[in-house]
Amino acid sequence: MQTQAGGPWLRVAARSVVGPVKVHNQQAAAVFELGGGDPLVCGSASPRNAALTGAFPADAGVGLLVVHGIGGQSTGDWACEAVVDALAAQLREEIPEDAEARSAWLAGALHETSARVDAYAKKRSGPHGSLGATVVFAVAFGNAVHVVHVGDVRAYLFRDGRLLQLTVDDSLINHYRAETGLEPTEEERRQIRNIITQGLGFDGKMKPHVGSIEAGAGDVLMICTPGLHEFVDVAKIEEELGRAADLGEACAKLEALAVSRGSDANVSVLLARFEGRQSAGA
């Protein structure tokens, strides 16, 4: 992709791959240029593509998505496709310029996406069809980044060598902590670690979490699924991102780290670095 000097720009790389003991990927990553064009997609929503790269003018608006489909081998795929298609359709609309209005618009977009996931399930599987998804969807306008999420996909900001978690999992483990004030035992963690309390397509009571940050040159937004964040500790991720020159290589190294540390899940990771200007193809 050829670009011209200017700024700020986002250099993006993503990778979504089948885990070592899995036979099927139910995850995807996507990048949307607001106002036009088809999204760049990798993972289950684009089965021939395990990775993507690109550089995008943030002033025009860039959407960044990682989605984890739920519901079994085929329906997880459908959920990813439904989420990507629904968000692509909504992002062709005009998004409010006011920051507070944008946050409300994004929460509404996730509710609309959830309704479309539910409708898609019934169309594909009949009136009793069900499927769901957990997502992080971030939209950058210049250096302002709005993050909306439900489920256990996570977003982090890497700045000055430190990794800051931006999202809180909608999980039974966190619900247990909130209700009891205690940490679950190792046995309890094993029993409930994969159970989430919110997701797209679950029901009409979903309450998306919406937040915003101001990014600076050199900051990296990382969005990833549990196949990475449950198995690779923060210090090791900080080490890898601190020496990453090529974001595509960094995605591949993080995936390999997750596998080496026992990850038995599919792994999806998206990295987006804010750069003051961009003068060459990605």
Side-chain angles (χ1 to χ4, degrees):
M1 174 184 299
Q2 293 297 319
T3 62
Q4 59 187 11
W9 284 76
L10 273 180
R11 184 178 291 273
V12 182
R15 188 170 175 84
S16 182
V17 296
V18 179
V21 299
K22 302 289 185 178
V23 296
H24 205 71
N25 193 2
Q26 295 171 251
Q27 302 178 3
V31 182
F32 306 81
E33 291 188 87
L34 275 57
D38 294 329
L40 290 179
V41 185
C42 67
S44 66
S46 181
R48 288 180 290 183
N49 298 316
L52 65 83
T53 60
F56 308 89
D59 281 342
V62 182
L64 307 166
L65 171 73
V66 172
V67 52
H68 181 180
I70 300 169
Q73 178 170 308
S74 61
T75 54
D77 280 2
W78 296 349
C80 288
E81 292 173 10
V83 170
V84 171
D85 290 349
L87 285 174
Q90 292 172 85
L91 291 173
R92 294 187 185 100
E93 302 174 8
E94 186 173 351
I95 298 177
E97 294 186 6
D98 176 75
E100 186 174 341
R102 274 182 191 158
S103 293
W105 188 93
L106 286 168
L110 220 58
H111 276 292
E112 175 64 21
T113 299
S114 182
R116 293 192 187 194
V117 168
D118 185 58
Y120 194 75
K122 290 177 171 55
K123 179 179 178 181
R124 295 293 295 262
S125 304
H128 303 295
S130 65
L131 55 86
T134 70
V135 304
V136 167
F137 182 54
V139 177
F141 291 92
N143 289 323
V145 184
H146 302 265
V147 179
V148 58
H149 85 282
V150 290
D152 56 1
V153 180
R154 289 185 185 173
Y156 297 82
L157 184 71
F158 181 69
R159 172 182 288 169
D160 298 330
R162 301 298 300 272
L163 196 65
L164 172 66
Q165 186 174 330
L166 301 177
T167 57
V168 177
D169 297 347
D170 289 315
S171 66
L172 202 53
I173 286 178
N174 279 343
H175 179 75
Y176 177 94
R177 291 180 180 128
E179 289 293 310
T180 67
L182 302 172
E183 281 294 317
T185 65
E186 197 58 40
E187 177 60 27
E188 288 169 334
R189 287 183 65 87
R190 279 196 294 270
Q191 292 177 359
I192 66 176
R193 73 183 182 96
N194 292 323
I195 301 176
I196 61 169
T197 56
Q198 281 207 107
L200 302 183
F202 278 31
D203 56 44
K205 298 178 182 178
M206 183 189 73
K207 295 181 179 179
H209 308 276
V210 183
S212 61
I213 57 168
E214 192 75 14
D219 287 351
V220 177
L221 182 69
M222 182 178 83
I223 307 174
C224 64
T225 54
L228 175 60
H229 67 66
E230 284 189 358
F231 293 90
V232 183
D233 59 80
V234 165
K236 191 60 180 176
I237 295 174
E238 289 173 342
E239 180 183 331
E240 288 298 329
L241 294 181
R243 61 189 181 195
D246 183 277
L247 294 183
E249 290 181 5
C251 288
K253 287 180 179 179
L254 288 171
E255 175 218 332
L257 266 175
V259 173
S260 72
R261 298 194 173 200
S263 178
D264 56 356
N266 298 323
V267 177
S268 298
V269 56
L270 182 150
L271 299 174
R273 183 167 59 215
F274 289 79
E275 299 181 349
R277 62 181 182 176
Q278 173 70 28
S279 58

